[in-house]
Amino acid sequence: MRVRDWDDILADVASDSTDPDGWRAVAGSRREGLGEDLYFGHPGVGVYHLKTYAKNPRDLRGVGARITRSVDDELDPLLPDEESAGRFAVQSPPEDESEAEDAATRLRETLKVHAEAPTSPDHLFEDVMEAIDSPAFGPMDYEFDGRPDELDELSDTFEEAEELLSAELEDLIDEDDVDRGFH
């Protein structure tokens, strides 16, 4: 397992050509200390674990690692299914003006179709993600001020990764003097 900057992990996911709507995620507050935990996985790619914190309102910092190369029968029930209320997506900005205009046109047409016909929120979300060419999206269990039970189970399952990533994140927090507050 190689610990890397959280942005590098997301860049890898964004550049992967895997089925974009096969991803699932679980996130919430860290067990101890500042920040959040995020596990996200895809059956054909594996599971990633990110730990992040807000250095300030405009600067999110963190670490992460790929912790498995597949989602097996033991991990599958710990990741949400389509019935989960939340959704997440990984998105890269358009490379140039032409790509941005093409995405805007696809998005406009998608919204127009959904405005003219009955639709479900899930169907709209999926169509919007496809229109803007999102490389990864899917259901998510997330608790803003807590931890879903599955998050604790994943942390227990990958205890070694949990300890290593927590130590790395604590080092970042110490280097940034985030625990001292602002004057």
Side-chain angles (χ1 to χ4, degrees):
M1 179 180 71
R2 191 176 83 174
V3 176
R4 300 169 39 211
D5 186 85
W6 74 284
D7 276 335
D8 294 340
I9 301 277
L10 292 179
D12 284 355
V13 170
S15 67
D16 194 321
S17 62
T18 304
D19 178 31
D21 65 347
W23 292 88
R24 300 178 289 161
V26 179
S29 300
R30 285 182 58 211
R31 276 186 181 157
E32 298 175 12
L34 181 66
E36 293 186 321
D37 279 328
L38 167 67
Y39 285 87
F40 61 104
H42 187 286
V45 178
V47 177
Y48 292 91
H49 183 185
L50 299 180
K51 288 187 172 287
T52 60
Y53 73 96
K55 178 178 176 182
N56 61 53
R58 294 185 174 175
D59 189 9
L60 187 66
R61 307 243 354 235
V63 294
R66 184 179 192 180
I67 54 176
T68 70
R69 297 208 176 275
S70 66
V71 176
D72 61 19
D73 292 340
E74 181 183 342
L75 296 176
D76 190 58
L78 301 178
L79 296 170
D81 58 21
E82 293 299 323
E83 302 303 315
S84 179
R87 296 288 178 261
F88 86 103
V90 174
Q91 188 60 45
S92 298
E95 291 186 17
D96 56 31
E97 188 174 331
S98 174
E99 188 176 315
E101 288 173 1
D102 289 344
T105 299
R106 290 190 309 271
L107 180 58
R108 185 175 25 257
E109 292 301 316
T110 299
L111 293 175
K112 183 178 178 183
V113 167
H114 279 273
E116 294 173 355
T119 191
S120 71
D122 289 337
H123 192 206
L124 174 63
F125 175 78
E126 289 174 16
D127 286 352
V128 166
M129 292 300 103
E130 289 173 5
I132 61 174
D133 208 18
S134 177
F137 61 92
M140 178 180 205
D141 285 336
Y142 176 74
E143 289 187 23
F144 182 71
D145 288 333
R147 290 174 63 84
D149 292 337
E150 295 82 4
L151 192 58
D152 284 331
E153 290 182 49
L154 285 161
S155 293
D156 292 342
T157 300
F158 299 103
E159 189 174 348
E160 185 179 312
E162 173 72 25
E163 290 174 9
L164 179 59
L165 290 171
S166 287
E168 291 285 335
L169 187 69
E170 288 300 325
D171 288 347
L172 281 177
I173 291 169
D174 288 345
E175 288 173 19
D176 289 340
D177 289 330
V178 173
D179 59 340
R180 299 171 104 186
F182 293 100
H183 299 304

